[in-house]
Amino acid sequence: MSGGPPRTALVVVADDAEEATAPWRRRYNRSAVERLLPAHVTILFPLVPAAAMDDGLLSTLRALYSPFAPFGYRLTRVDSFPTVAWLAPEPAAPFLELIARTSEAFPDNPPYGDAMLEPVPHCTVGVVDAPAELQPAIEELRAGLEPLLPIRCEARAATLLEERDDRTWAVHTRFPFEGAA
């Protein structure tokens, strides 16, 4: 949990995956669920402090995302980082394009605060405290989720999430993808 001022994030909410992932997210990513974060694929986090949002930022985001066309994707497999279990979206290319365009528009705000990081599109389903705890979680997630895969999803908008003072998150604005497919 952040100790600083409330933050913002740009994501593609994976509404179509919520039902299948909810029990696993409650078990392995309880903090995110309790803080009201939906299943999602991150475009850019952190964006700006919540207090810095203004009409100019919202206009920039609207102009940035409206040319994108809605696209389908599938969450196809359980994968991991050292302490995070996630579902891989395929194709990843549309997410990488969203991340690249957003990073170009906000060069002072690199993904996850690290300009050297190569973003990997993912939908987090579990977080553990130590790498040694990950393998048992992955095995259980694979046993429970793989029979439900692939989960078919539709990306219709970029969503600006805002962290509140109580550290829960809420949708601030959705920016529909209005381009032609």
Side-chain angles (χ1 to χ4, degrees):
M1 187 177 336
S2 167
R7 304 162 294 175
T8 58
L10 288 163
V11 304
V12 171
V13 176
D15 290 320
D16 303 309
E18 196 66 48
E19 183 178 339
T21 62
W24 302 104
R25 292 179 66 239
R26 280 193 301 272
R27 179 175 171 97
Y28 286 109
N29 200 8
R30 180 173 297 281
S31 173
V33 172
E34 289 174 350
R35 293 172 55 218
L36 308 178
L37 280 166
H40 66 275
V41 177
T42 301
I43 299 171
L44 182 62
F45 173 78
L47 177 57
V48 298
M53 284 192 298
D54 60 19
D55 290 341
L57 174 69
L58 299 177
S59 293
T60 297
L61 293 171
R62 192 169 292 106
L64 180 65
Y65 296 121
S66 67
F68 281 90
F71 61 93
Y73 64 97
R74 299 169 320 285
L75 298 172
T76 60
R77 70 182 187 287
V78 177
D79 210 328
S80 64
F81 300 129
T83 59
V84 176
W86 47 275
L87 295 174
E90 293 182 9
F95 292 104
L96 291 170
E97 179 67 18
L98 286 166
I99 292 167
R101 293 263 183 99
T102 305
S103 294
E104 288 171 14
F106 298 96
D108 295 334
N109 306 75
Y112 302 102
D114 185 348
M116 302 308 293
L117 181 70
E118 187 68 33
V120 175
H122 63 281
C123 178
T124 300
V125 291
V127 177
V128 297
D129 293 327
E133 299 170 6
L134 187 63
Q135 193 54 41
I138 290 288
E139 289 172 13
E140 189 173 347
L141 286 163
R142 284 185 175 145
L145 279 171
E146 283 184 350
L148 306 175
L149 301 178
I151 299 169
R152 297 188 186 290
C153 300
E154 182 77 18
R156 297 176 190 89
T159 299
L160 176 62
L161 298 177
E162 176 182 17
E163 189 177 33
R164 299 174 180 157
D165 289 333
D166 67 0
R167 299 302 181 211
T168 60
W169 289 81
V171 171
H172 184 281
T173 308
R174 285 190 173 87
F175 303 99
F177 299 149
E178 298 173 340

